[in-house]
Each structure stands twice: as C-alpha cells, then as structure tokens.
C-alpha cells in the first residue's frame, strides 16, 4: 500500500510500541549504509492489508508474537528519504501501543531473510538504558525517549501524535 505526497512515493507502514509495565521496550536494530538505527518492530503494508492486519503479520514474522491485543494508534511518523532499492521516496508509519509482558523474541522469518531487510538484532531496553544511550545511538523516531516518557506520564493520547523524524 502506498500514498502520494507532493509527487513522492510514500510507503505505508505500521509499527508496534511493545511496552511492559516496567517501561521496557522491544527495539529492532537496523543496519543501513548510512548507519545503525534502533526502531520499533513492524514494516510495510502488503497489498490488500489494512494497518491492523499488517501489524499482526509483522509481529509474528519479526518477534514471534501471535494473538496479541493491540492498543490504540498513538503516533504517526513520516520520514522522507529515498529507499536504497529505489522503490520509495519515504515512509509513513502508524504506531500502535501494544502492552505486553517481557518475552523472548522468536521471529518466524529466518535471520537471513530478516538481515536481507536490514534487521540484525532484537533487544529489550529499559527506560534507564534509553536515557543512557540517548546521545550516542540513533533511534527512530529520534524523540523516542521523550515520547515514551510522555506516554508513561500521561497515558495514550486522544489522537495520534506526530513524532517528527
């Protein structure tokens, strides 16, 4: 599924903020030619999928979660950057809150397939670890720590928040 913004080819995607009661968050390490980025699990919509269907598929493929209860759509992120494969000019993510207990991720896709999608690691981060890494590591969205702290303090927003890049 795609969108067109000012003539740009924008890939529609969905991501999950997997958040425990202890404020641990599961992140994915992506390796791009431009550098390492830690982001939320998820990915692009396949033809015929809506965002909820795509998120259920992505959570199964990337972390091994099935039959998960999705929370509200909390954030939107649009990133204009040409994809390496040349197919897209950027991506629009819808982020859903997914409250969960900590679990051991077990992707159903092979690691060779995940690496082909530039995914190289899954890791739980505590809020303290996010704070410690904030100046040294690139997160997507960049304001991830502040957004999570706001979510913890205030609860889910009434309408999705624009995260910025």
């Amino acid at each position: 599924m795609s969108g067109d913004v000012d003539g740009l080819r924008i890939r529609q995607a969905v991501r999950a903020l997997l958040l425990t009661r202890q404020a641990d968050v599961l992140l994915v390490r992506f390796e791009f030619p431009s550098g390492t980025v830690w982001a939320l699990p998820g990915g692009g919509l396949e033809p015929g999928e809506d965002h909820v269907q795509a998120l259920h598929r992505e959570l199964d493929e990337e972390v091994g979660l099935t039959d998960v209860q999705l929370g509200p759509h909390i954030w939107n992120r649009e990133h204009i950057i040409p994809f390496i494969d040349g197919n897209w000019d950027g991506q629009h993510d819808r982020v859903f809150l997914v409250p969960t207990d900590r679990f051991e991720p077990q992707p159903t896709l092979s690691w060779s397939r995940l690496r082909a999608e530039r995914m190289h690691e899954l890791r739980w981060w505590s809020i303290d670890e996010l704070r410690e890494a904030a100046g040294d590591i690139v997160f997507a969205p960049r304001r991830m720590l502040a957004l999570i702290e706001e979510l913890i303090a205030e609860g889910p927003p009434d309408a999705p928040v624009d995260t910025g890049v």
Side-chain angles (χ1 to χ4, degrees), residues 73-76 95 157-162:
H73 171 195
I74 55 170
W75 302 336
N76 287 320
V95 178
D158 293 333
V161 171
D162 180 359

Side-chain angles (χ1 to χ4, degrees), residues 10-14 76-79 90-94:
I10 304 299
R11 180 181 185 227
Q12 296 299 308
V14 63
N76 287 320
R77 177 179 184 260
E78 188 157 285
H79 190 175
Q91 183 163 294
H92 178 86
D93 293 326
R94 286 189 190 177

Side-chain angles (χ1 to χ4, degrees), residues 18-78:
L18 292 161
L19 187 65
T20 70
R21 286 184 288 269
Q22 296 77 27
D24 294 334
V25 60
L26 185 66
L27 298 179
V28 175
R29 179 174 57 93
F30 289 99
E31 294 292 337
F32 298 106
S34 59
T36 300
V37 177
W38 285 90
L40 302 168
L45 276 64
E46 298 289 341
E49 283 184 324
D50 63 28
H51 287 82
V52 169
Q53 291 167 329
L55 188 53
H56 281 288
R57 177 184 49 75
E58 289 286 344
L59 287 173
D60 177 40
E61 292 175 353
E62 291 186 0
V63 302
L65 266 185
T66 59
D67 197 32
V68 65
Q69 189 71 23
L70 302 183
H73 171 195
I74 55 170
W75 302 336
N76 287 320
R77 177 179 184 260
E78 188 157 285

Side-chain angles (χ1 to χ4, degrees), residues 107-163:
T108 59
L109 291 181
S110 70
W111 274 103
S112 62
R113 173 111 184 258
L114 292 171
R115 283 188 186 92
E117 295 179 9
R118 304 202 176 276
M119 183 176 148
H120 289 263
E121 183 181 356
L122 290 160
R123 177 182 161 199
W124 286 101
W125 293 72
S126 70
I127 198 82
D128 288 337
E129 289 171 323
L130 290 174
R131 284 185 191 113
E132 290 170 17
D136 301 322
I137 292 179
V138 176
F139 294 105
R142 302 293 188 263
R143 301 185 313 119
M144 185 178 303
L145 174 61
L147 291 161
I148 291 171
E149 288 176 327
E150 183 177 303
L151 181 68
I152 291 167
E154 300 176 17
D158 293 333
V161 171
D162 180 359
T163 67

